[in-house]
Amino acid sequence: MKFGTKTIHAGVYPDPSTGAIMTPIFQTSTYVQRSPGDHKGYEYSRTHNPTRTQLQNALAALENGKHGLCFASGMAAIDAMIKLLNPGDEVIASNDLYGGSYRIFTKIFQNYGLKFHFISMSEAANIEKFINQNTKLIWVETPTNPLLNIIDIAAAVEIAKKHNILLGVDNTFATPYLQTPLDLGADLVMHSLTKYMGGHSDVVMGALIVNNDDLAQRLSFIQNASGATPGPQDCFLLLRGLKTLHVRMQRHCENGRAVAEFLKNHPKVEKVFWPGFSDHNNHEVARKQMCDFGGMISFVLKGDNMQDAIRTLEKFHYFSLAESLGGVESLCGHPASMTHASIPREERLKGGLSDSLIRLSVGIEDIEDLLADLEQALN
């Protein structure tokens, strides 16, 4: 199947009892057994739920993986992934990453004996400098949040395999519409399904997708034992959102390109971060591992003044000032005080995230209205 057909058909099937074309919401906590241990594959809905099963199968199919596991949020998915490790283990992560990831690494898991190195991965070779006998995981975001840095997944995989280290990729910004990290050799893919995969700003959920059977079994144990699983209503909403992922992403990319070019040519804008520009760092890598460049854009105004940035954010009409991204509606945000506030200011500045950076999640509205909104806000 081609990708657009996969989003609608892969991993799902009509309900065998009724023929319902949409997966039913199995709103039940438990399942009747014929005899102790003699059941139809379902015992308790924290462990398995038929609605969640079909969603997990669909996600695995879209990422060209064998196993999908859903969690109550993207952070719950990351939490499960880190629980694969033991005290004394070390993780190498990109230094430009989502603030929530940084927070759970440094404020939660560091207290349990794990060590984290936050480094620039723009040159994949830099990763090798931080590897030692305790390194057990390389954690990659690409494009990164919020500076849209591009990391060469295949090059990072080569280093990870050389040292027998797990490599995970946060694929939230790109989605499998733009890139499939498992095909490039990654061991694990994570999504905040809240964003593009759901696409309608009405559900919070996360997922992990893997190929390795043993890794899937270990993660499934953690999923059930820790219990951070989503309910069937949320799984139903995600299944519905997935069916339009390909057409939404196409429009996000088209609008994103138009907005990026508009901002780059605007007299009040100093710098635009968007991997589709030929002068963007690692643009050629992006062209190699992505089929397009997405709808996430960040920019800095001339003068790099935080108050000017805040005034601009307050003036938007169609770009709503809100946390999150990837919905059909356009959003704007101020990473330094919103999504990345949990990262110390000196660390943010060291990674290139200034106090005046504005991040846009370009939606699927008519592009003329979005450009007009940008013009009036900037002026």
Side-chain angles (χ1 to χ4, degrees):
M1 285 185 281
K2 300 297 184 184
F3 188 81
T5 308
K6 270 188 179 182
T7 62
I8 296 168
H9 295 288
V12 299
Y13 47 85
D15 177 51
S17 62
T18 64
I21 196 165
M22 295 302 295
T23 303
I25 302 170
F26 286 87
Q27 195 70 54
T28 184
S29 61
T30 193
Y31 307 83
V32 174
Q33 303 185 26
R34 292 177 289 266
S35 181
D38 181 10
H39 51 75
K40 299 179 180 179
Y42 295 93
E43 303 167 84
Y44 188 61
S45 274
R46 185 190 69 244
T47 310
H48 297 294
N49 177 281
T51 313
R52 192 172 93 215
T53 297
Q54 290 220 31
L55 173 59
Q56 292 179 155
N57 291 341
L59 292 168
L62 291 180
E63 281 286 3
N64 296 332
K66 287 177 63 178
H67 307 280
L69 301 99
C70 286
F71 299 84
S73 68
M75 294 313 305
I78 292 176
D79 177 82
M81 176 189 69
I82 298 298
K83 284 174 179 172
L84 292 168
L85 307 179
N86 297 305
D89 289 346
E90 298 189 12
V91 178
I92 300 173
S94 48
N95 63 352
D96 176 32
L97 80 170
Y98 170 52
S101 302
Y102 181 91
R103 180 176 56 224
I104 197 171
F105 291 166
T106 60
K107 302 298 184 182
I108 304 293
F109 284 108
Q110 206 158 266
N111 296 331
Y112 292 90
L114 297 176
K115 185 174 181 180
F116 296 86
H117 303 273
F118 300 97
I119 69 167
S120 171
M121 294 187 181
S122 293
E123 295 293 333
N126 192 41
I127 298 171
E128 200 145 19
K129 301 174 187 175
F130 294 85
I131 291 175
N132 60 47
Q133 68 273 16
N134 296 321
T135 308
K136 295 298 188 292
L137 173 70
I138 298 171
W139 181 237
V140 171
E141 272 189 26
T142 183
T144 62
N145 183 3
L147 296 174
L148 287 304
N149 287 314
I150 298 297
I151 297 166
D152 190 329
I153 298 172
V157 164
E158 186 177 348
I159 293 169
K161 290 194 182 304
K162 174 182 172 183
H163 296 277
N164 195 29
I165 298 168
L166 281 176
L167 186 134
V169 178
D170 183 339
N171 207 28
T172 300
F173 268 28
T175 81
Y177 177 87
L178 296 179
Q179 68 186 15
T180 47
L182 294 179
D183 290 339
L184 298 172
D187 298 294
L188 178 150
V189 169
M190 192 285 293
H191 282 281
S192 173
L193 299 174
T194 310
K195 315 304 194 295
Y196 285 109
M197 301 291 268
H200 293 81
S201 302
D202 56 6
V203 63
V204 174
M205 199 186 301
L208 298 173
I209 300 98
V210 301
N211 273 323
N212 181 274
D213 295 341
D214 177 65
L215 186 57
Q217 189 172 4
R218 291 166 63 198
L219 288 168
S220 183
F221 175 84
I222 294 168
Q223 179 194 42
N224 180 53
S226 295
T229 52
Q233 173 74 28
D234 287 349
C235 292
F236 173 85
L237 290 172
L238 247 299
L239 280 166
R240 185 186 65 171
L242 286 182
K243 291 183 184 296
T244 58
L245 176 64
H246 56 304
V247 290
R248 288 187 285 106
M249 287 303 297
Q250 182 179 358
R251 185 63 168 266
H252 284 300
C253 290
E254 291 170 357
N255 283 357
R257 180 179 295 276
V259 167
E261 291 174 350
F262 172 87
L263 290 171
K264 190 171 188 178
N265 294 313
H266 199 281
K268 292 194 174 180
V269 174
E270 178 67 33
K271 183 171 178 58
V272 182
F273 301 89
W274 183 66
F277 289 135
S278 59
D279 59 353
H280 186 88
N281 189 30
N282 278 354
H283 168 72
E284 290 303 318
V285 175
R287 286 186 60 194
K288 178 182 67 174
Q289 69 188 22
M290 302 170 71
C291 68
D292 208 329
F293 304 106
M296 295 302 301
I297 298 162
S298 294
F299 68 98
V300 177
L301 298 172
K302 285 186 176 173
D304 197 14
N305 184 285
M306 182 173 172
Q307 290 308 311
D308 287 344
I310 290 173
R311 280 191 289 270
T312 300
L313 288 163
E314 291 171 346
K315 290 179 184 177
F316 280 121
H317 179 59
Y318 295 123
F319 284 88
S320 299
L321 178 59
E323 299 266 359
S324 200
L325 59 102
V328 292
E329 64 286 304
S330 294
L331 299 179
C332 60
H334 181 241
S337 65
M338 296 170 72
T339 54
H340 291 66
S342 57
I343 301 178
R345 184 172 183 268
E346 60 273 18
E347 291 298 318
R348 292 199 307 267
L349 294 174
K350 193 187 305 180
L353 201 174
S354 73
D355 289 338
S356 62
L357 186 85
I358 292 173
R359 192 190 74 180
L360 301 179
S361 171
V362 182
I364 66 172
E365 302 94 337
D366 283 321
I367 189 58
E368 292 83 1
D369 293 325
L370 296 182
L371 296 182
D373 194 26
L374 284 163
E375 186 62 54
Q376 65 83 21
L378 289 168
N379 290 325

